Amino acid sequence: MDEHEWLAERFEEHRGHLRAVAYRMLGSVHEADDAVQDAWLRLNQSGASDIENLGGWLTTVVARICLNMLRVCRTRSEHPIGIHVPDPIISPDQVAGPRQPEQEALLAESVGLALIIVLDTLTPAERLTFVLHDMFDLPFDEIAPMVDRSPAAARQLASRARRRVRALGAPVPDADHIVQRRVVDAFFAAARSGDFDALVALLDPDIVMRADGGASRPQASAVVRGAPAVARRALMFAQPTAVVRSALVNGAAGVVITAGDRPISVMGFTVTNERIVEIYAIVDPDRLTGLDLTALDIQDTA
């Protein structure tokens, strides 16, 4: 084995962890992959002979890359606050088949779309300190140089971020996946049958639905609040001919909706106390085209 192959093998041992860090920093699968690839290029140029802790070195490099990406080219700033839906992690429904290893790594210590949306409200420095310390247990002594702060100042950044995350708090989904799936299936059954009362009964009174149509369909982007309003929207856009396919979206019950084998929507749900409290829908055709659905079980949910 030559030096390049040896270095590539060592890098691959850390790829899953690096993608998980980058996804939490950026909320985008494609941007996370770009950051990890950039880290590989830097490692390949510098070599690893003088690096004592390769995992720590790579984590630092990826975190710095992500920090610069957030500062210089944050795509989320192009969207009104609350309407942008982060890239979902889509995997087969766990009752139908196992997740791929790379999906498991991304979702280790599961991170829902609601939390990613909250993280989007933090400053880049706050996000880095919160992600690295609170999610990956890095000490502030190691984090501080990344944000050009003292360890004490980095601790304050993380504390400020933590308070904001708690204040905006993401709801905790029901632990029983079968319950989640039953509620989501009932939602689509009620929408298809036009049963407004059944829809409202499945929704939390304070439900929030975020739909992201992107630049291609700005008219489809909206934040809808309250059970009656969300139920009316579900009835308005129910498509009897569309195929609703089971999926896990960031580890929770969700669906991929297709028409003619073409994805037209990805929807994630947060089910708490057997009611839907949040819905996230991506209906942007450009983003949907770029989704990797090869691992998805395609058995219909209805």
Side-chain angles (χ1 to χ4, degrees), residues 47-262:
S49 57
D50 297 327
I51 301 175
E52 294 183 4
N53 179 1
L54 182 59
W57 186 88
L58 286 170
T59 298
T60 297
V61 169
V62 165
R64 287 183 180 274
I65 292 169
C66 292
L67 184 64
N68 289 334
M69 292 172 72
L70 287 175
R71 284 172 170 169
V72 176
C73 189
R74 295 185 67 188
T75 58
R76 278 158 296 284
S77 65
E78 300 170 2
H79 299 265
I81 293 297
I83 290 183
H84 175 73
V85 175
D87 284 354
I89 306 300
I90 303 171
S91 55
D93 193 305
Q94 60 188 228
V95 300
R99 302 175 192 158
Q100 298 298 314
E102 60 271 19
Q103 293 162 335
E104 288 285 5
L106 274 180
L107 289 171
E109 299 176 7
S110 184
V111 55
L113 291 176
L115 178 56
I116 295 293
I117 288 175
V118 172
L119 294 179
D120 278 347
T121 69
L122 304 178
T123 68
E126 288 172 346
R127 187 164 186 167
L128 183 145
T129 56
F130 179 83
V131 167
L132 293 185
H133 181 267
D134 285 43
M135 293 184 168
F136 292 98
D137 296 322
L138 258 68
F140 289 115
D141 287 348
E142 296 181 23
I143 296 172
M146 303 182 202
V147 290
D148 299 320
R149 304 281 210 292
S150 67
R155 184 185 298 274
Q156 290 178 343
L157 279 174
S159 178
R160 190 159 64 235
R162 197 176 302 119
R163 288 196 299 270
R164 184 163 183 82
V165 169
R166 288 173 179 168
L168 296 177
V172 178
D174 290 338
D176 190 336
H177 172 72
I178 295 176
V179 170
Q180 293 183 34
R181 176 58 56 196
R182 183 176 69 242
V183 173
V184 171
D185 288 352
F187 172 85
F188 283 100
R192 282 183 165 176
S193 65
D195 193 335
F196 178 83
D197 290 338
L199 279 170
V200 170
L202 291 164
L203 305 176
D204 184 88
D206 298 320
I207 184 174
V208 178
M209 177 179 182
R210 293 177 175 87
D212 184 352
S216 299
R217 296 186 62 200
Q219 73 282 2
S221 294
V223 177
V224 183
R225 302 179 186 276
V230 172
R232 283 192 293 270
R233 189 176 180 90
L235 291 176
M236 186 185 308
F237 293 101
Q239 300 185 37
T241 60
V243 178
V244 180
R245 306 182 188 280
S246 295
L248 291 181
V249 177
N250 284 57
V255 301
V256 174
I257 302 176
T258 60
D261 295 325
R262 177 178 57 88

Side-chain angles (χ1 to χ4, degrees), residues 33-45:
D33 286 338
D34 287 346
V36 172
Q37 182 63 21
D38 194 354
W40 159 246
L41 294 175
R42 297 187 189 193
L43 176 64
N44 199 30
Q45 291 168 359

Side-chain angles (χ1 to χ4, degrees), residues 270-288:
T270 303
V271 177
T272 302
N273 296 325
E274 301 190 32
R275 285 190 172 186
I276 300 170
V277 297
E278 292 184 329
I279 300 175
Y280 306 93
I282 294 178
V283 293
D284 178 356
D286 293 335
R287 292 179 67 192
L288 291 170

Side-chain angles (χ1 to χ4, degrees), residues 1-15 18 39-51 54-55 57-58:
M1 180 184 297
D2 63 25
E3 183 177 353
H4 178 79
E5 292 176 338
W6 174 80
L7 192 60
E9 280 195 6
R10 293 199 64 192
F11 180 81
E12 289 301 321
E13 293 172 1
H14 299 281
R15 181 183 290 275
L18 298 176
W40 159 246
L41 294 175
R42 297 187 189 193
L43 176 64
N44 199 30
Q45 291 168 359
S46 63
S49 57
D50 297 327
I51 301 175
L54 182 59
W57 186 88
L58 286 170

